[in-house]
Amino acid sequence: MTEPASFIEVDDSPEALLAAFCEREWCDGLPIVPPTEERVRAMLGEAPADRSLGAMPPLWRQATLEKLAVNAVMAGCEPAYFPVVVAAVEAMLEPPFNLYGVQATTHPVAPLLIVHGPIARELGVHAGSGCFGPGFRANATIGRAIRLILMNVGGAWPGRHDMATQGSPAKFAYCIAEREDASPWGPLHAGANVVTVFGGEAPHNVNDHVSTTAAGILATVADTAVSLGSNVGWYFSQSQLLIVLGPEHAATIAADGFTRSDIQRYLFEHARLPLRTLKLGGMWGIQDWPRWMMAVTDDDALLPQVPSPDDVFVIVAGGPGKHSAVVPNCTFSRAVSRPIPPL
Amino acid sequence: MQLAKAGTPSGLIATTAFQGLAVSELGALGVSGLPLLVVEHPLGGERPEAIGRRARQAVEQLTSLLKHR
């Protein structure tokens, strides 16, 4: 049973609104669009306000469409974005995503939304230059709506129920699209409108202005993907890596005839650390490894960071330049994709 | 929660830094009556003697829980 929204009256100056929402801990510290009844109704369209997608952790409050719409309005979303927000919340509430862990952990994880398919272009979800950064309303406001929902519906307030030691700028907004037009291997979900949620760290830069071969680019990617300080590799069974290739790096790799599965296999085989390095720090001693890895005694043995090549996701995004990104996951959440139906 | 419903003495264990989250969680799940065992924060990066102290804290509270159930 969920209560419908109640109303408050606030002086409608921007300063008073911001102060009122900040005092109540209802926002992320940035100005909001006032969620008036009219705006919330417009965001919902024909969708039933009282339909719940389920209980959202860590405070297990019902994620009704009305509450999602309130937060989408506050974030600055256009109503056309709302189906993406709803599909992303549905994806996050699926058990493999482990939203409780993502919300309450000390790790700096944020759900990265990747919008696939024609809807990304229709809505203007940016996949080109600076796609992880500012300047694009759909990316900024869909990503922000998700964060406001996680805080206001889930109850994940920093230091109280969101226990991230330092947090992450990715927790403000984290939403991109695939650069389907520049992907030599096509999109991850051909032709379909889909959103993927990936519980990841902020992007780690892959700088390679020199390599002219797939092996060269992927060696740099592989090295960026491994470090003692990452969760990936230590909590092995749910470790995943998202590789976001810049279009120029992607073209270099494709020119050597590599398919997407070749890249996944290559990185599975090469994104490894020797046992002697793993013994130096990180989570050594409390790692959660399968029996065969725990049995390894050869200090020179190279140990994998993810269970299989399928745990390496490869997409293309970005603009001109010789940069890519690695997004390690938090290792207690698996990527989930959901179709984006009209509401 | 399922163990408690089945009559098995049960509780939640948390470190001091996570006590607030634990209390909220028990409330949100409607099981505020479940015992909360609290040990000193942190658990990671501590030497064996410090971990031993936390284990004793937990055992003392657990013993009390079992005696007074």
Side-chain angles (χ1 to χ4, degrees), chain B residues 12-27:
Chain B
L12 185 64
I13 187 163
T15 66
T16 46
F18 288 80
Q19 187 172 355
L21 173 64
V23 169
S24 296
E25 200 62 23
L26 290 172

Side-chain angles (χ1 to χ4, degrees), chain A residues 143-200:
Chain A
R144 187 184 184 204
I146 293 299
R147 175 51 49 191
L148 292 175
I149 289 164
L150 293 174
M151 295 171 81
N152 290 334
V153 182
W157 190 261
R160 196 157 63 229
H161 303 126
D162 168 355
M163 297 302 290
T165 304
Q166 296 180 318
S168 166
K171 288 195 177 215
F172 277 99
Y174 205 16
C175 174
I176 64 169
E178 271 190 279
R179 183 81 192 274
E180 297 185 11
D181 63 305
S183 172
W185 312 287
L188 273 185
H189 301 278
N193 290 328
V194 171
V195 64
T196 296
V197 290
F198 184 90

Side-chain angles (χ1 to χ4, degrees), chain B residues 19-40:
Chain B
Q19 187 172 355
L21 173 64
V23 169
S24 296
E25 200 62 23
L26 290 172
L29 292 169
V31 286
S32 299
L34 274 187
L36 178 62
L37 281 60
V38 181
V39 297
E40 190 182 341

Side-chain angles (χ1 to χ4, degrees), chain A residues 76-167:
Chain A
C77 287
E78 290 187 25
Y81 305 165
F82 194 50
V84 179
V85 173
V86 172
V89 171
E90 286 179 322
M92 291 192 300
L93 291 176
E94 289 197 14
F97 190 74
N98 183 17
L99 185 58
Y100 179 82
V102 169
Q103 289 268 67
T105 180
T106 53
H107 181 274
V109 55
L112 167 62
L113 272 59
I114 308 166
V115 183
H116 318 269
I119 196 171
R121 285 190 300 280
E122 292 160 17
L123 298 181
V125 185
H126 185 62
S129 294
C131 56
F132 282 115
F136 307 99
R137 180 177 178 182
N139 302 48
T141 62
I142 292 171
R144 187 184 184 204
I146 293 299
R147 175 51 49 191
L148 292 175
I149 289 164
L150 293 174
M151 295 171 81
N152 290 334
V153 182
W157 190 261
R160 196 157 63 229
H161 303 126
D162 168 355
M163 297 302 290
T165 304
Q166 296 180 318

Side-chain angles (χ1 to χ4, degrees), chain A residues 183-224:
Chain A
S183 172
W185 312 287
L188 273 185
H189 301 278
N193 290 328
V194 171
V195 64
T196 296
V197 290
F198 184 90
E201 297 180 4
H204 297 216
N205 182 40
V206 180
N207 169 31
D208 188 335
H209 280 66
V210 176
S211 294
T212 57
T213 64
I217 299 290
L218 292 176
T220 314
V221 172
D223 187 68
T224 307

